[in-house]
Amino acid sequence: MNIQQMKYVVAVANNGSFREAAKKLFITQPSLSNGIRELEEEIGVTLFIRTNKGASLTEEGLTFLEHAEKILTQMEIIENRYQEVTKSERFSISSQHYDFLGEVMGKVIQQFKDQYKNFRVFETTTLKVIEDVKSYHSELGIIYLNSQNQSGIERYLEQANLTYEVVGSFKTHIFLGKNHPLAKQKEIKLEQLCCYPQVRFTQEGSNFAYFSEDLIENQEQETVIYTNDRGTLMNLLVETDAYASGSGVVTGFTKKEIRLVPLAESTNNKICVLYQKNKTISTIGQFFIKELKQLF
């Protein structure tokens, strides 16, 4: 049994057929079929039910897939760890959902486009940001800290062997469509929002409030809309009388359709860059941090 055979099984399971899996893996279908057949003979079980319509996992196949995916995930972590050390053609960051990332990454790409061939920005959940940096999937992570979430996040970072640098601060702003009844106010009080739907980003670890990406928790809220996509959130604000909360640092096209109104008596929030404790930040990473500081 080898890693390549495990990848074959995962590919067939994900694509539902040997033909499609072979295309994705850039190998011939006979090579793929032979590889999986040899694996089945070695372990003494049938992994797939093969029909003219495709391939589906047997009960033993499902169990094998579960173990194989865990092993391949660990292999990816190892590969990412040493690719970050030995290669210089890739720069990756993971972040909560922030509009300003495009502007900062644009400057990074212009500065380093001759040295780096791949630039990757992952907008994701708070927990995934931390896990991405922990597993070397991304060099840097971007999250916010304030008095409500800081102690919980810091405990989690300590366990993950990560640290952070504060690059800027901001007051909480309410995001509204330009035609929202509250759009022309100079500031908004929390109680004024109770009768309007709130748009929030979905998160893993929902039992832990410190993973929340949303800056306000309105106990009197009647309607909540969850999404995992920043573009969808913005469209919902434009098309409805819903609201969201954020940093107030917005760039690009979003400015034309969205109104940002300060929240009265809001706490101070800090934008932070996460990174590995035992790893020196690369030159491109340092440039990214410098540009992010200038933006704030």
Side-chain angles (χ1 to χ4, degrees):
M1 184 189 309
N2 56 53
I3 295 296
Q4 191 60 59
Q5 288 171 320
M6 293 183 191
K7 290 181 178 179
Y8 287 173
V9 172
V10 172
V12 175
N14 288 340
N15 289 279
S17 77
F18 282 73
R19 184 181 63 182
E20 291 302 317
K23 288 181 181 179
K24 296 288 179 62
L25 292 168
F26 299 103
I27 61 173
T28 64
Q29 187 172 333
S31 295
L32 176 62
S33 298
N34 289 337
I36 291 182
R37 186 176 297 108
E38 289 172 2
L39 173 62
E40 289 176 322
E41 291 174 357
E42 179 182 348
I43 62 179
V45 299
T46 300
L47 298 174
F48 290 97
I49 300 171
R50 299 157 170 85
T51 68
N52 292 334
K53 295 182 178 180
S56 59
L57 287 162
T58 63
E59 186 174 342
E60 287 286 353
L62 286 169
T63 301
F64 182 90
L65 178 67
E66 180 181 349
H67 292 298
E69 287 180 328
K70 290 178 181 178
I71 293 170
L72 292 174
T73 297
Q74 292 301 313
M75 283 295 298
E76 184 180 4
I77 290 173
I78 294 172
E79 290 170 354
N80 286 337
R81 167 67 179 90
Y82 292 102
Q83 283 175 354
E84 290 295 329
V85 172
T86 60
K87 295 184 178 181
S88 61
E89 71 270 15
R90 188 185 78 190
F91 176 63
S92 300
I93 67 165
S94 293
S95 175
Q96 294 172 321
H97 301 78
Y98 294 118
D99 181 77
F100 55 75
L101 283 177
E103 178 176 323
V104 178
M105 279 301 294
K107 293 179 180 179
V108 170
I109 292 167
Q110 285 298 112
Q111 182 72 19
F112 290 90
K113 61 185 178 182
D114 294 331
Q115 299 167 246
Y116 285 73
K117 301 187 184 305
N118 291 292
F119 300 86
R120 306 194 298 185
V121 182
F122 303 100
E123 287 192 19
T124 185
T125 63
T126 306
L127 181 58
K128 190 67 165 58
V129 171
I130 297 171
E131 293 297 323
D132 279 356
V133 180
K134 175 185 176 182
S135 64
Y136 298 90
H137 193 58
S138 290
E139 180 179 1
L140 304 176
I142 315 298
I143 64 171
Y144 82 89
L145 293 178
N146 60 19
S147 58
Q148 280 76 45
N149 72 352
Q150 184 162 344
S151 60
I153 292 291
E154 285 182 342
R155 285 197 307 272
Y156 204 88
L157 294 179
E158 185 65 29
Q159 295 171 2
N161 198 37
L162 303 181
T163 187
Y164 66 88
E165 178 180 350
V166 177
V167 296
S169 63
F170 63 90
K171 294 292 185 180
T172 300
H173 283 67
I174 304 302
F175 285 40
L176 308 163
K178 63 182 181 181
N179 297 318
H180 193 283
L182 301 178
K184 294 183 179 180
Q185 298 214 175
K186 292 184 178 180
E187 69 173 15
I188 293 175
K189 294 182 179 180
L190 188 60
E191 55 266 27
Q192 292 179 274
L193 297 169
C194 295
C195 59
Y196 300 104
Q198 183 183 16
V199 188
R200 299 175 65 89
F201 286 114
T202 54
Q203 297 284 333
E204 301 106 336
S206 57
N207 292 327
F208 303 98
Y210 52 79
F211 283 138
S212 175
E213 187 172 340
D214 301 284
L215 295 160
I216 58 175
E217 184 71 41
N218 197 340
Q219 300 297 331
E220 304 299 323
Q221 197 69 55
E222 293 184 0
T223 304
V224 179
I225 306 165
Y226 289 95
T227 182
N228 62 358
D229 180 75
R230 180 163 50 90
T232 300
L233 180 144
M234 293 299 180
N235 286 334
L236 286 168
L237 298 184
V238 171
E239 299 297 334
T240 71
D241 60 357
Y243 73 93
S245 57
S247 68
V249 182
V250 174
T251 61
F253 301 107
T254 305
K255 282 184 173 180
K256 297 180 180 179
E257 299 296 333
I258 300 298
R259 296 291 178 265
L260 309 175
V261 183
L263 178 68
E265 302 177 355
S266 69
T267 58
N268 192 50
N269 309 288
K270 297 172 288 189
I271 285 289
C272 302
V273 177
L274 312 180
Y275 52 90
Q276 290 273 353
K277 280 185 179 179
N278 58 350
K279 185 174 182 296
T280 302
I281 299 175
S282 66
T283 301
I284 188 172
Q286 293 174 20
F287 182 86
F288 176 90
I289 293 172
K290 184 191 75 170
E291 292 298 323
L292 192 56
K293 286 180 177 179
Q294 289 182 355
L295 183 65
F296 277 86

